[in-house]
Amino acid sequence: MSRFFATGSDSESEESSSADEITPKAPGTTFKQSLLISDDEEDTKRVVRSAKDKRFEELTNLIKTIRNAMKIRDMAKCLEEFEQLCRAFLKSKTIVDKEGVPPFYIRLLADLEDYLNQLWEDKEGKKKMNKNNAKALSTLRQKIRKYNRDYETEIAAYKENPQESADEEEEKEAGDSGSSSDSEEDGDDDVSAKAFLKKKPEPTPDASKFLKSAKGSGDESSSSDDDDNEDWGSDTVDSGSESSDEGEEKTSSLALVFLKKTHDSEKSSEKKLGRRKKPKKKEQLEEEGGEEGAGDPDDGGWEKVKGGAPMVKEKPKMFAKGTEINIPVVVKKLNEILQARGKKGTDRAAQIELLHALAAIALENNLGQGIMVKIKFNIIASLYDYNPNLAAFMKPDMWKKCLDCIDELLDILFEHNNIFIGENIAEDSENLAISDQPFRVRGCILTLVERMDEEFTKIMQNTDPHSQEYVDNLKDEGHVCGIIDRLLDYMENKGSTEEICRIYLRRIMHTYYKFDYKAHRRSLGLQGETKSEQDQEESEGEDSAVIMDRLCKFIYSKDRTDRIRTCAILCHIYHHALHSRWYQARDLMLMSHLQDNIQHADPPVQILYNRTMVQLGICAFRAGMIKDAHNALLDIQSSGRAKELLGQGLLMRNMQERNAEQEKIEKRRQVPFHMHINLELLECVYLVSAMLLEIPYMAAHEFDARRRMISKQFHHQLRVGERQPLLGPPESMREHVVAASKAMKMGDWRTCHSFIINEKMNSKVWDLFPETQRVREMLVRKIQEESLRTYLFTYSSVYDSISMQTLSEMFELEIPTVHSIISKMIINEELMASLDQPTQTVVMHRTEPTSLQNMALQLAEKLGSLVENNERVFDLKQGVYGGYFNRDQKGGYQQKQSYQRGGT
């Protein structure tokens, strides 16, 4: 208790000195008292602060460091401190969620972004920067732009009224200092038990507190000093009661201290309430409408910054009170809003809201549909401009607004036939007023819908394809196709031929890659159990094949631009191939001659061409045209870049081959995931086609040293399989094909069949085809036929004659089929044999060299090439006129040498 009393008497006031005179002290108490005083001084230096004060002080210190680094243009320091600031702000998330984003933090973000943009535009200054600062500037600029997207509303509010934001910041700092002084006062009050008795008469302290909070909330230091002076002032007022009751204080229990705390909590809450009244009044004075001033008392003055106050301020300023709302006034206001478009510091979200408000005003005053169409055009254009970066995609809420606005615009155009829109209508010749003349509005609905389609593609490109979000976004495609169909109907009545071709192509691009299951079931005769649903589907619309045929033929006949016609032809071929119409697809490809000049087309068209060729190859494989399938897929698969050529992803490359800018461009060309072609299926089809062609050819030219390779990739897979030291059962698709190739080489078609068609291969590849069973049957047939050819090539030297009946049983083929295969081999001079018709046997002719003779021929060829190589190496060693080459020309060499000597 003596320690607390010492704290209370540690003052230079008269009361304390008189108290010392009245109460005599022991001689040893002076040293103890001095010790107590020093301890107490240390206690007063310790400040009990809340978590909020600590966190905000940490943020403030980091901001000061960043501002100092900005003054000396130390970008590396700025970057380092900004990263620390972001981490510190993340730690303060719980406090920020409760209190709101502090204004000083928003102020720094806005100032830092402006400062970095200014440095970035200063080309000369950037050149003078050292390497580390230039790199840090680029990195920090990207980070701050990305980071500030989450605080666009607050930053816009700050930029609209920076002075007000600065005032709020000062108020908040004053409030924080007040709270810290509260904690100091509480600490002091806890220490001194006298304070409980001295502050019993409450009116004077309360009045002084309210006066103080009204006076000195602007300055942080003055507010804390006022709190301290106020406490000591109250001591002087109540000095008499202190001196008279001192004896009672010494004998009182510690319960008084704890009783005082309840009183202190009430007093501190009253003080805080008094301090918060002032910002409320200030807000009410500063705001024109005064609606935002009475926010939540817990948030104080910050609610105005967080809640998007600029929009509230702009609404009353839309039109002055008493202004007559007519079309010229609305057009003038619209032009004022549009003038800020694209300017630095423009809040794009606020601009969109203003346009919506203007549309509502025009609708309220019945200004006609002409002005509504014009405003809608500008709203949609502003929604597209919301992301200035070309690579960025629209946020979900903006995307929904865009679709709704386009729908509303189309509704107006369909309801009112007297509205004419077009890009060729000048601003001066617009007719927006309600009159007998039709409305004339400048704008192009087709361009808006094309941009909408591109935005949809960007959204799909930037969404994780394996997430539920992708599925949700993909559901919007029905809405997009519905808008395109509505515009198609509108353009067929009012559009030019060129515009109709453009909208037709958009419709084709949303149709060509989709398999028409409805038409497929109908072609198979599966009118099903759900007959009513089938009838509904049929009544909804025509088959996709009919739609594609109608749209593409219109473009073929009417289009004047090569690009639209090329895209339409490729989409038409792709659609034919997807639905197994092989001959139509092949004929259209050959008639178009696209393969001759496709290298001059732009990259998106080249990607479409590659996709079409791949689909054509897969279609040929399903139809049993193995050679055509191999030829169609050869260019894509032999490059080793199928993924990149089909626009389904980028391969890792060095920065020398492709810089960051080129990589961004290529990413924008990627095909959305739902349009991808299965690369494993593609490779499997190619390898199986190569196997069916290559294995019989290898068997026929086994000893031919000059035989060519049909497929390099297939040979590479065979070599990889042969190099493996341990051969286990095949696991991957490639291993299955290699194992099947080895079995076919031996003429074992059953083993080959078991490797190509099994549960694992079915699940990976064959079940992905629409007509799975038919493809499997075709594959079995091809394996049997090519195994028969391979068997005859390999073992023809062993047989004198062989019965066709035996071959038919071995390979489970009909005798006419066996007869046909052998006849073709004899006609093409692949097999030296003749058919004995009565006995149904194949008689072999011994005209081809035996295996020993073949090996001897190969040895002779190799020895000849070895001698040639040795002579060439020797000539290089001895020089042009030396060695073996000059033995026959010795005389000529010597004559030439003597001639040269004589000449010299």
Side-chain angles (χ1 to χ4, degrees), residues 8 102 260 317 386 511 535 568 587-588 637 654 670 818 830 886:
K260 158 131 187 359
K317 292 181 183 177
Y386 186 75
T511 308
D535 293 340
D587 294 345
L588 194 53
Q637 286 297 123
N654 297 330
Q670 299 304 299
V818 175
E830 294 173 338
N886 276 335

Side-chain angles (χ1 to χ4, degrees), residues 19 108 114 153 172 264 266 278 454 640 729 755 789:
L108 175 86
D114 293 343
T153 311
K172 190 63 195 172
D264 279 350
E266 291 171 8
K278 196 249 174 188
E454 290 165 10
F755 281 130
R789 281 164 49 80

Side-chain angles (χ1 to χ4, degrees), residues 207-220:
S208 63
K209 284 180 180 60
F210 280 111
L211 287 170
K212 175 192 78 76
S213 61
K215 256 193 313 188
S217 62
D219 188 10
E220 184 176 348

